[in-house]
Amino acid sequence: MTKIITDIFMYLFEFLLFWYYSDSLFDAKKDTSKRVSLMLLNTAFLGVIYQFNITYLNIILMFIAYTLLLLYLYNVSFKTAVFHSFVFLFVMLTSEILVMVLGFVLYKDFNALEVSTATYLFVIVTSKLIYFGFMIIILKLFAQKENNEPYNKYFWLLFIMPLTSIMVLVCFRYIAYQMQLTQTMSVLWIISSIGLLFVNILVFIIYEYSLKNTKELYELKTIQHQEEQDKKYFEIIEQSNKDMRIFSHDIKNHLTQIRNFEDLEDVRRYVDCIYPDIEKFNRTGISKNKVLDLIISKYATLCEKKNIQFSVDVKTANLAYVSDSDLSTLMNNLLDNAVEATERADERFIQVYIFSKGNMHDGLVIKNSCFVPPETENGELKTTKDNKKIHGVGTKSIRKTLKKYDAVYGWKYDENLKVFETDIAFPQKIDIC
């Protein structure tokens, strides 16, 4: 009776593993309830066949059943279904052979594995843990190949769980081999072994579920961020249009005033007076890169409030291949540093140049007045702020971002002109995932 109960739990475990493996790797063409129902029926059928102890029949029927289930429940070819069914059987048989070898090494007798319930549990549970571990590894390798999933080193740390479980089973079986277990101890051993087996698969399922939720949350945040950027962009466009309508209304009066001037010098002074209002309309939409235009508009407004002359020259490049988050990190850090340095200068200006150098690279150059020479340590810029632990991350963030794009970063300071210059070169025709 104990053996039958143990076999029921073992087949339930195989059902969970087959369902987890198939659902993770293939696209389903039947709904969840139908997949679960058919898999459970298949598990019950194979469990009954197993009780007849006809090994070759059990193997053949399992191979056929897994192949038919994959073909009927998932969008796979016949060749794929046969291949993965073979993988299941091969790994299962290999794991059982490994446990038999392990038992022989420990007890010097293959028959010792079948003399008691404790020994039978050791064989079954340990082989299923090894089987489970190999199948998860195979699943991960196929998933990375099929879906281009990134390498995740933390996933492999989860295998500490099955490895530790196997060690616990081996140690406990060794102890049980040296002494006679009471009925109570045997029951506890059965419950603990089966529980240990199911906890392992539960850990991996929860991990994958958490990864899926994290990925979905990240995608939602990305969509939300893009919507916020679009909203801000259109708000700026709308404000610019309002200002343009007001200015276009006023331009008639300006032209009338200019027409009444007789002296050319008076005309020049008047044009110089209204020119800054015209220049404001060049801030939005100059690069055809929404994020870059938002950043330019932000710092143009900020510099206007701080009485800093801010100019931008975007010629043949707009860094469109740099992701929105990376571009925001890069430009905000660079321009924040420029604004901070310029505030302490007598002559305040910031100049931004973005250009294409033939087919070689795109350049980003930022020049700003800098009255106080920058502090350096081993050739690296050193923050002058009080809390260095917090404010020292700006340059590190810039370098980390640029490393993703194989960009070359450099800076120089002109002591005579009191000008700090940042130079960045982005190789062209790069593709960042």
Side-chain angles (χ1 to χ4, degrees):
M1 186 63 184
T2 303
K3 181 180 178 300
I4 294 177
I5 294 174
T6 303
D7 290 342
I8 291 173
F9 279 105
M10 293 309 102
Y11 271 89
L12 283 175
F13 175 79
E14 288 190 11
F15 151 73
L16 286 174
L17 179 58
F18 183 73
W19 174 71
Y20 175 61
Y21 181 93
S22 304
D23 261 35
S24 299
L25 200 56
F26 308 120
D27 294 327
K29 60 182 180 182
K30 302 296 180 181
D31 58 56
T32 303
S33 60
K34 183 170 289 187
R35 295 200 307 275
V36 172
S37 299
L38 288 176
M39 286 184 186
L40 281 174
L41 286 174
N42 173 71
T43 301
F45 170 72
L46 293 176
V48 171
I49 297 298
Y50 177 75
Q51 300 305 314
F52 292 101
N53 290 323
I54 307 176
T55 304
Y56 70 89
L57 179 63
N58 188 48
I59 292 174
I60 293 173
L61 290 177
M62 185 175 291
F63 178 78
I64 294 173
Y66 280 174
T67 302
L68 292 177
L69 279 175
L70 289 175
L71 282 173
Y72 182 70
L73 300 178
Y74 298 94
N75 291 310
V76 296
S77 64
F78 178 76
K79 182 179 178 181
T80 300
V82 169
F83 173 77
H84 286 277
S85 297
F86 174 78
V87 168
F88 262 92
L89 286 177
F90 178 78
V91 175
M92 182 188 298
L93 293 174
T94 302
S95 63
E96 291 177 357
I97 292 172
L98 285 174
V99 173
M100 291 178 65
V101 172
L102 177 63
F104 179 76
V105 171
L106 290 176
Y107 314 121
K108 308 301 181 183
D109 182 10
F110 280 111
N111 294 327
L113 298 177
E114 300 179 1
V115 297
S116 67
T117 302
T119 306
Y120 182 74
L121 266 174
F122 169 75
V123 174
I124 295 297
V125 176
T126 306
S127 65
K128 295 305 178 186
L129 279 173
I130 295 174
Y131 173 43
F132 168 71
F134 279 132
M135 290 307 299
I136 292 297
I137 291 174
I138 293 170
L139 169 61
K140 199 65 178 178
L141 293 176
F142 276 117
Q144 288 179 343
K145 182 179 179 181
E146 294 291 331
N147 304 323
N148 294 318
E149 290 185 3
Y151 173 76
N152 189 347
K153 61 181 180 180
Y154 299 106
F155 169 80
W156 304 106
L157 293 177
L158 295 177
F159 283 91
I160 294 175
M161 182 71 181
L163 289 174
T164 304
S165 299
I166 292 173
M167 285 300 299
V168 169
L169 290 169
V170 170
C171 291
F172 191 86
R173 180 64 198 108
Y174 183 78
I175 294 171
Y177 186 71
Q178 304 297 323
M179 58 181 291
Q180 184 69 31
L181 296 180
T182 64
Q183 185 175 2
T184 302
M185 292 177 65
S186 296
V187 172
L188 292 174
W189 165 244
I190 294 171
I191 295 173
S192 300
S193 299
I194 294 175
L196 199 61
L197 181 63
F198 280 86
V199 162
N200 276 270
I201 195 170
L202 188 61
V203 166
F204 280 85
I205 291 175
I206 292 174
Y207 175 78
E208 291 296 333
Y209 181 75
S210 299
L211 277 185
K212 182 180 179 181
N213 284 348
T214 301
K215 184 178 179 181
E216 291 176 352
L217 182 60
Y218 176 78
E219 291 174 351
L220 287 174
K221 286 186 176 180
T222 302
I223 294 172
Q224 183 181 10
H225 174 74
Q226 186 62 46
E227 290 176 348
E228 289 176 354
Q229 294 287 356
D230 289 340
K231 183 179 179 181
K232 290 179 182 177
Y233 182 78
F234 289 119
E235 285 176 354
I236 291 173
I237 292 291
E238 181 62 26
Q239 185 60 46
S240 179
N241 289 337
K242 289 180 180 179
D243 293 340
M244 179 66 79
R245 287 194 293 269
I246 294 173
F247 184 76
S248 63
H249 179 267
D250 294 339
I251 198 68
K252 297 177 182 178
N253 296 327
H254 291 308
L255 291 174
T256 302
Q257 185 65 34
I258 291 172
R259 185 179 182 181
N260 292 331
F261 284 128
E262 296 180 358
D263 186 22
L264 182 60
E265 190 61 34
D266 291 336
V267 174
R268 288 175 178 173
R269 281 197 297 268
Y270 191 84
V271 170
D272 289 341
C273 182
I274 65 173
Y275 185 78
D277 293 329
I278 301 174
E279 186 67 19
K280 290 179 182 179
F281 300 112
N282 292 329
R283 295 175 185 170
T284 307
I286 61 174
S287 71
K288 297 182 181 179
N289 183 336
K290 291 181 181 180
V291 175
L292 182 58
D293 289 340
L294 283 171
I295 294 170
I296 289 172
S297 297
K298 168 188 171 181
Y299 284 95
T301 303
L302 179 63
C303 289
E304 185 178 358
K305 293 179 180 179
K306 293 179 177 289
N307 295 319
I308 298 173
Q309 182 184 351
F310 184 79
S311 61
V312 179
D313 187 358
V314 179
K315 294 182 178 178
T316 57
N318 63 1
L319 307 180
Y321 47 80
V322 180
S323 71
D324 292 351
S325 59
D326 288 338
L327 184 61
S328 179
T329 297
L330 177 64
M331 295 299 293
N332 280 300
N333 274 301
L334 290 173
L335 290 174
D336 278 343
N337 293 340
V339 170
E340 182 190 355
T342 304
E343 282 184 299
R344 294 178 288 178
D346 294 332
E347 183 181 354
R348 301 181 174 186
F349 70 87
I350 297 175
Q351 299 169 344
V352 180
Y353 304 92
I354 302 176
F355 56 90
S356 179
K357 191 72 172 178
N359 293 322
M360 298 294 292
H361 67 269
D362 292 334
L364 167 62
V365 176
I366 298 178
K367 296 181 180 181
N368 60 272
S369 52
C370 184
F371 184 76
V372 180
E375 296 183 17
T376 60
E377 184 176 351
N378 298 325
E380 297 289 338
L381 286 173
K382 186 179 178 182
T383 181
T384 57
K385 297 179 181 179
D386 295 332
N387 195 334
K388 301 183 185 300
K389 289 185 178 180
I390 296 177
H391 298 294
V393 300
T395 303
K396 294 180 182 178
S397 179
I398 292 170
R399 290 190 178 279
K400 182 180 179 181
T401 301
L402 293 175
K403 187 177 180 181
K404 294 170 62 176
Y405 300 86
D406 295 323
V408 179
Y409 169 74
W411 62 270
K412 56 187 176 182
Y413 178 70
D414 192 319
E415 182 70 36
N416 297 323
L417 297 177
K418 304 292 183 184
V419 173
F420 183 87
E421 180 177 329
T422 300
D423 300 292
I424 299 172
F426 294 87
Q428 288 187 356
K429 297 180 181 179
I430 56 179
D431 185 18
I432 300 297
C433 298

